[in-house]
Structures are given as structure tokens and as C-alpha cells.
Amino acid sequence: MLTNAFAVLGAAALAGNLLFAGTGVTRFPLAALILVLAGSWWVRPGQDGWTGAVAEGVVTAGAALVLPDVQPVLAFLFGVTTRRAVQGGPRRYPVKSLVSLAGYLAGLLVSLSRQANVDPDVLMAGVMPLLGLVIGTFALHEAVRAVRAQQAARRTVAAFLQATPVGLALLDEHGTPRLHNLRAREMFGWTGPAESETVSCAHGVPITRCRAGCADDPVEVDSGGMVLALHTGPVEQPAGPDHTVVAAVDVSGRRLWEDALRDRAERDELTGLASRAHFLHLVREAMDRHPAVGLLIVDLDRFKDVNDADGHEAGDHYLKAVAARMISALPPDTVAGRLGGDEFAVLAPGCDVEDTVGLAKSVLTELNSAPEQFGASIGAAVADPDAGTADLLRDADTAMYVAKREGGNRIRLFHPEMGEQALARQRDRADLRTAIEDGQLVVHYQPIVDLATNAVTSAEALVRWQRPGRGLQGPDAFIGLAEETGLIVPLGEKVLGMACAQAVRWQLEGRSLGVTVNVSTRELSTPGFLARLDRVVATTGLAPARLTVEVTESVWADETAMRTLVAVRDAGIRVALDDFGTGYSSLSYLQRYPFDVVKIDSSFTRALGRNGRTEGVIRCIIALADVLGAQTVAEGIETPEQADWLRDAGCSYAQGYLFGRPAAAETWDVQVSERRL
């Protein structure tokens, strides 16, 4: 504004000089042009273009020609260039100012050329101020540009600081905010003047005065419902103590996300109980803090049946209901967790043996009181002061397996003898695996005879274990272990292959004998059973009709096994139902899933002649099988009287000690050769 006024005054002075001291008629239009230029400067400061620049050149050239002294022209020129140096842009000032400077030089030189003698002093007086003018105005222009650039940078920084989501504050040595952005006011909850506010650390004191190191390392504080991460840094001051810049970042979302991830890692997604990893972590912590720690391992007894029969959705509902029941039975100082599948656990810090057993009883009572009557096998153990976490888990797990082997739905407290039994069972498991791989299994065969002809028609394959150091062991000694460990699958495949191969050898010897092989429900429900069966039959070359797969009534409770059994029968292999009448017999199942053979359990045949009701039951079984198109095989025949009664009752086949004991194929061949084939 001042430079514009200065330029206008210089223009007015030049116009006056032209009117009163100038010569020639051109002084009048020049004065008028000057007044027009001055008016445009005043009305539109900084907006004149090249027209104004040319007009300024015309004025300086003309004034230098008509005035006897160039000092008023220099004053006008100084005002013009100063005005442009302050108001003009980086290109407008240097270029457009040259027009007026060039006009002045042209007018001065033309004026001097008209004189006969040019006074050097006059020339120097007219040129030297011009040099100083150029240098001064260029310096002024650069200074103005620097100031404007600094102002623009400050505005940019200010806009950036206001737009950033980070709260920024500059604190002096007393912790008083000297500079800040609006985001800082929002984050710190400042309502009054900034000079009356402070930035507090996690300890509730001004962050610059905290002696706990909050000003040295990033810290998190709660502020108005937000979680702020505060980052600080020193700012050196030219004079006086250093200041501190505080950058506050809202990490509330990150905290919520971290809490969610932590909760997801620590909680079982289905039941909401502690996850396996977190539960084991809590067990380790409890072992470090308490002299006694109780632990329960809870394994559901019926979950596989529910999952297989009703589907995984029903199984998930079952698990959630169990978790809810467990929580309702536990005191506040205990922790329930899900270890995986249908296995749960309860941690009871500070509980002795009596308290732990009482807790187990509460859990089992609550589970049994549900409408679904959740049966569970519970193993309880209490940590010895010198024991480790792994020992406690192993002991509780061992006790749980004991409870399950004893029938389930019961509690067993761990004692050292269980550990010895568990080690023995582990050795048995390893030995059985070795037996399957190294050929220690042998198959004995018991003849099955046609009661009408008294001829041997087939044989039932019965596995034995020739165990090193213990002699020949029957199936009762190891089949349960095989079922429990899953070794029943390779064991069953081994026996199936040996039996089929033996039937083929008999056929090559001219004996038309079939073979019956016992198959467990677990084998049938294992993926790939059909493929393994087909492979054995194809490898040995046995005709499918000469093979009978024998199952128990427990197969009806497993939908997967039943579907597999139907596929086995569709492949031309005969299917026999063993121990009929002793388990969960169902006429509807017999009708839906026909069997080729129904075996009458030995408990009925042994009672022949002693119980008239038993004889009636046997006649009903024979008649029922006949209606369903199945043959009957009576087991456990030991006397001729039993065989005669069954023959008269219409039973088709029989097996028992009367016809031959289970024996190796070589010995069995001698027995068979003594009978009429």
C-alpha cells in the first residue's frame, strides 16, 4: 500500500514538473498519461499489464526529452520499479520494469545527443542513480519474494497441521502449550485458553515433568473416551530452555482391534470358553502362584453319536450347551476351557484333592441334570508342589481315560498306579503296532457246519497275537486297545487279507469253503474302507460271494458305517449280523438293512433244555430270519442235543466246540479232513 502511494506521489510530481518546467506541446499529453497511469495504480494495484508497462516507458522517455533536469524522472522511475518489485510476480517485475528503464535511457541519450557539449557530470548524474535503482529494487524484490515464500510455507504448514488427524502441541519448559492445532484441543479435551492447559501422561502429571520416562518413550493414555499414543521430541530454542513437541495419535480403533484379536486368541470361538493355548497359559501361571492346583479333564461320552447321527450343526449346539452347563456349575475363581473336539477342562487354582473332586461332582451332576443328559468321563488331578504343567495335564488326562474305559459318565481321581497303567498301555500300544507290522498276528479258523448235511461249509477267522515273551493272546487282550488307538483299521485289513488268502488256498485244494471275517463299526466308518476291501479281494483273487463280513448290532448307531455296509452288500459280499438279540435289536433296522446271515448268540444256545422261554425266543429268531430271507447260524454249540434241537427248529448252520475249536489253518485242516465234506 505504501509503495503504491509512493509511486502515485512520484507520478504526480513528474506530471507537475512536465506542466510547469517542461518544454514543447508533448508535455501535456505526457502529463495526462501519467495521471491515467497513477489512477490505474490506485484503482487496480498490481493488476496493470503490458499496456501499463509500455505507457511507463513512453512517459520516462518523453519526460527525459522535455525536462531540463532528469531528477523528477528518476523519482518517477524509482516509484514505478519499487512498486513492481513489491507487487509484481517473479516474471512481471524484472521484465516489465525494463521497459520503463529502457525508455528513460533512450530519452536521456537522445536529450544529451542534442547538446553540443555533454557535461560528464550531467551524464553521471543521470546514469549512476539508475544503477543504484536497479540494484536496490532487485534486492527489494528478492527480499519480498523470500518473505512471501516464508509466509506461503507457514500457511501450508498451518493448513497441514490443522488437516492432520494427529494432535500436535509445542510445550515450553513448564509444560504450557505454546502452539497447537485444533485436533490437539479435541484430543486433550481443552476448553479454555491453551496457556491454561497441560498435556498429562499416563501417571496423571504433566508429561514434561514426569520422572517415569514418559517424555522419553511413547506412552498410551486414556482421554475423553479415546486411547491416545503420545510421542514426544525435543525442540531446540536459540535462547532459553528447549521446548517439547507432543504428537498424539488416536489408537482407540487399534486398541479395540487388538482386544478383539486377543479375545479371539484367548477364547474358543464356538463355546466362548478359554481356548486351548490360553488355558494352558493359565495353568502355567496358576502353577507358579499357588501351592496346589486342581485340574479336571472332561470328555463327553456321546458326542460322536450325536455328531454322526444329527450332523455337525447339532454337534455344535451340543457343545455350546455343555459349555453353558459347565459354567453354571463352576465357582467364580475357576476357569473352564475347551481343549479341542469334545474335550473340556476346568482349572481350579488353590484347590486341594477334596475341593477338586467336589468340583468334578458338581460338573457331572449339572451335565446329567440337563434334558439331553450329557454323559461325561472326568479325570481329576491335583498338582504336586514339585510337579510341572505337563505332569498335571498328563495325570488328569490319564484319570479321564480310566473313567472312560470303565464305562464313562463317572469321575476318577488320579493316583500313581494309574500312571503305571498308562505307561503299560503305551507299551502295549507300541507292541501292537509292531505286531501288525512284523507279522506277529496269526489267524485261527473255527468251522461252520450245515446242520442238514453235517458238512463244513465255511470258517470264521479269529485273530490271535503271538506276543513275544507272553505267548498266544486272544482278541480280548488287545482288540479293545486297537479300537481305542485306531490300530483296528490296519489290524482289520491285515486279518482280512490273511483270511481271504487262506480261502483261496482252500479253493485251490478243491475245498469249496467260504470265510467269515469280523469287521468293527469303527473300521466301517473310516474313510477308504471300501477301497481297502476291494483291493484285498482283487489282490487275493477271492470271489466276493465266498466272503462274509460279520458285524454287531452297534453298527446301527453309526449312519456312516451303515451306508458303508450297504455298499459292501451291493458289491456281492455277504453280510452277517453277530450276537443277534443281545444288543439294541430293532426289527425296523432288519427290515431297512437286510442281512444275509443272522447269528444266534451263544447265550441262547447254552440255555437250551433249561429254559422254555429261551427255546421260544430261538424259534422266533429263526422264523424272523426266514421271513427276511436270511440264513441263521447258531453259535456256541457244545453238545449233540443242542445241535439236534436246532436242526429240528429249522436253524441252517451252527458252530461251536462240538464241531471244532478255533485253530491254525494247518491243525484245522486235520479236523476238517476227519469230517465228511
Side-chain angles (χ1 to χ4, degrees):
M1 188 69 178
L2 292 176
T3 56
N4 208 44
F6 177 74
V8 171
L9 290 176
L14 179 58
N17 274 278
L18 285 171
L19 292 175
F20 296 105
T23 60
V25 296
T26 57
R27 68 181 186 277
F28 297 108
L30 287 174
L33 181 57
I34 291 172
L35 294 177
V36 171
L37 282 172
S40 67
W41 296 342
W42 192 262
V43 175
R44 300 177 60 193
Q47 300 297 318
D48 52 318
W50 281 102
T51 302
V54 173
E56 292 168 0
V58 171
V59 168
T60 54
L65 288 172
V66 300
L67 286 176
D69 188 4
V70 295
Q71 293 304 319
V73 182
L74 287 173
F76 172 79
L77 190 59
F78 183 78
V80 168
T81 54
T82 302
R83 172 180 169 274
R84 289 195 179 277
V86 174
Q87 297 181 356
R91 290 176 297 175
R92 191 163 56 188
Y93 161 70
V95 177
K96 293 182 178 178
S97 294
L98 289 176
V99 178
S100 57
L101 293 174
Y104 169 75
L105 287 174
L108 178 62
L109 293 176
V110 171
S111 176
L112 292 176
S113 67
R114 293 175 178 176
Q115 299 177 14
N117 296 312
V118 178
D119 187 350
D121 294 334
V122 173
L123 178 61
M124 294 302 294
V127 174
M128 290 305 295
L130 186 62
L131 181 59
L133 176 63
V134 171
I135 295 173
T137 54
F138 263 95
L140 176 62
H141 176 64
E142 291 302 319
V144 169
R145 284 186 60 191
V147 170
R148 286 177 177 171
Q150 187 178 28
Q151 291 174 342
R154 287 180 177 177
R155 287 193 298 270
T156 301
V157 172
F160 174 78
L161 294 180
Q162 295 300 336
T164 181
V166 178
L168 297 170
L170 182 66
L171 311 180
D172 63 15
E173 68 275 16
H174 304 295
T176 302
R178 294 304 178 189
L179 295 173
H180 66 279
N181 60 359
L182 294 178
R183 185 59 174 152
R185 296 188 66 87
E186 296 173 2
M187 287 183 166
F188 297 128
W190 293 343
T191 56
E195 292 75 11
S196 63
E197 304 288 356
T198 58
V199 177
S200 299
C201 68
H203 302 91
V205 298
I207 194 168
T208 56
R209 301 180 186 177
C210 180
R211 298 296 178 262
C214 289
D216 300 325
D217 300 309
V219 295
E220 290 188 1
V221 298
D222 292 327
S223 176
M226 290 186 292
V227 180
L228 303 181
L230 302 183
H231 302 260
T232 60
V235 179
E236 295 183 0
Q237 298 298 308
D242 291 346
H243 288 185
T244 302
V245 64
V246 178
V249 181
D250 183 1
V251 295
S252 304
R254 188 190 72 188
R255 175 73 69 84
L256 291 174
W257 180 248
E258 289 174 348
D259 292 343
L261 289 177
R262 186 180 302 108
D263 185 72
R264 192 167 186 176
E266 295 178 354
R267 295 289 169 188
D268 177 63
E269 189 172 355
L270 178 64
T271 63
L273 303 180
S275 66
R276 178 183 181 87
H278 184 55
F279 186 85
L280 297 180
H281 172 72
L282 295 177
V283 172
R284 287 190 291 270
E285 284 190 341
M287 296 282 286
D288 293 336
R289 297 178 181 178
H290 299 275
V293 175
L295 181 66
L296 306 180
I297 300 294
V298 183
D299 190 89
L300 305 182
D301 293 334
R302 297 194 308 110
F303 178 70
K304 186 178 186 302
D305 297 339
V306 173
N307 217 31
D308 291 344
D310 301 329
H312 293 293
E313 185 174 350
D316 290 347
H317 176 76
Y318 190 92
L319 293 174
K320 288 190 285 188
V322 168
R325 284 278 176 176
M326 287 183 59
I327 292 174
S328 65
L330 298 177
D333 55 345
T334 58
V335 178
R338 182 184 176 208
L339 301 184
D342 61 339
E343 191 173 61
F344 297 83
V346 176
L347 174 64
C351 287
D352 57 16
V353 171
E354 183 178 354
D355 294 335
T356 302
V357 173
L359 186 63
K361 291 179 179 178
S362 298
V363 171
L364 188 59
T365 300
E366 182 65 26
L367 293 179
N368 285 328
S369 66
E372 300 89 341
Q373 293 186 340
F374 307 118
S377 302
I378 302 180
V382 177
D384 184 273
D386 299 327
T389 304
D391 298 328
L392 178 60
L393 290 167
R394 181 200 60 212
D395 293 348
D397 200 54
T398 299
M400 182 274 292
Y401 275 110
V402 171
K404 186 169 287 291
R405 285 199 302 269
E406 292 179 356
N409 201 34
R410 65 194 64 205
I411 300 165
R412 287 294 176 263
L413 177 67
F414 176 80
H415 52 80
E417 290 79 7
M418 287 183 180
E420 297 173 1
Q421 295 169 1
L423 289 175
R425 200 160 184 82
Q426 289 179 1
R427 288 194 296 269
D428 289 344
R429 183 184 300 116
D431 289 349
L432 181 57
R433 183 177 288 106
T434 301
I436 296 171
E437 296 172 352
D438 294 352
Q440 296 176 14
L441 298 179
V442 296
V443 178
H444 286 186
Y445 301 91
Q446 186 173 30
I448 299 175
V449 302
D450 185 339
L451 286 175
T453 63
N454 207 32
V456 177
T457 59
S458 62
E460 180 177 359
L462 301 169
V463 65
R464 304 289 188 263
W465 181 5
Q466 190 65 52
R467 190 170 185 180
R470 301 193 187 184
L472 190 66
Q473 294 184 339
D476 292 343
F478 59 89
I479 290 298
L481 176 64
E483 288 273 7
E484 177 186 321
T485 59
L487 291 174
I488 192 66
V489 174
L491 186 151
E493 185 176 1
K494 194 85 169 181
V495 173
L496 184 64
M498 296 168 69
C500 290
Q502 182 60 49
V504 171
R505 283 194 292 271
W506 282 330
Q507 185 177 358
L508 294 175
E509 294 171 0
R511 301 176 181 179
S512 299
L513 299 177
V515 65
T516 298
V517 180
N518 293 276
V519 176
S520 72
T521 300
R522 181 164 184 175
E523 288 181 81
L524 289 170
S525 61
T526 302
F529 174 80
L530 281 174
R532 293 193 297 272
L533 180 61
D534 291 341
R535 183 171 60 251
V536 169
V537 171
T539 301
T540 59
L542 181 66
R546 306 191 68 81
L547 174 63
T548 300
V549 170
E550 186 173 302
V551 298
T552 63
E553 292 174 350
S554 63
V555 73
W556 287 335
D558 193 316
E559 287 292 335
T560 302
M562 283 303 303
R563 288 194 297 270
T564 303
L565 200 60
V566 170
V568 169
R569 195 166 184 268
D570 291 342
I573 297 172
R574 290 158 53 87
V575 176
L577 179 61
D578 193 19
D579 302 333
F580 180 76
T582 63
Y584 302 98
S585 301
S586 171
L587 297 182
S588 64
Y589 274 112
L590 277 175
Q591 186 177 11
R592 288 169 53 196
Y593 304 107
F595 290 84
D596 300 289
V597 178
V598 173
K599 302 190 77 171
I600 303 171
D601 188 68
S602 59
S603 62
F604 294 108
T605 59
R606 283 195 301 268
L608 285 174
R610 300 195 304 267
N611 190 329
R613 294 179 61 184
T614 299
E615 294 175 355
V617 170
I618 294 176
R619 291 183 187 276
C620 288
I621 294 174
I622 294 172
L624 176 62
D626 185 60
V627 170
L628 296 174
Q631 297 174 330
T632 50
V633 177
E635 296 181 302
I637 308 304
E638 298 181 356
T639 66
E641 291 77 15
Q642 293 171 339
D644 292 341
W645 189 95
L646 288 165
R647 184 183 299 109
D648 294 340
C651 183
S652 305
Y653 299 92
Q655 69 180 98
Y657 289 172
L658 176 64
F659 309 107
R661 294 175 177 272
E666 299 79 11
T667 306
W668 191 85
D669 286 342
V670 175
Q671 296 182 26
V672 172
S673 65
E674 296 174 352
R675 305 190 62 84
R676 181 171 54 85
L677 298 181

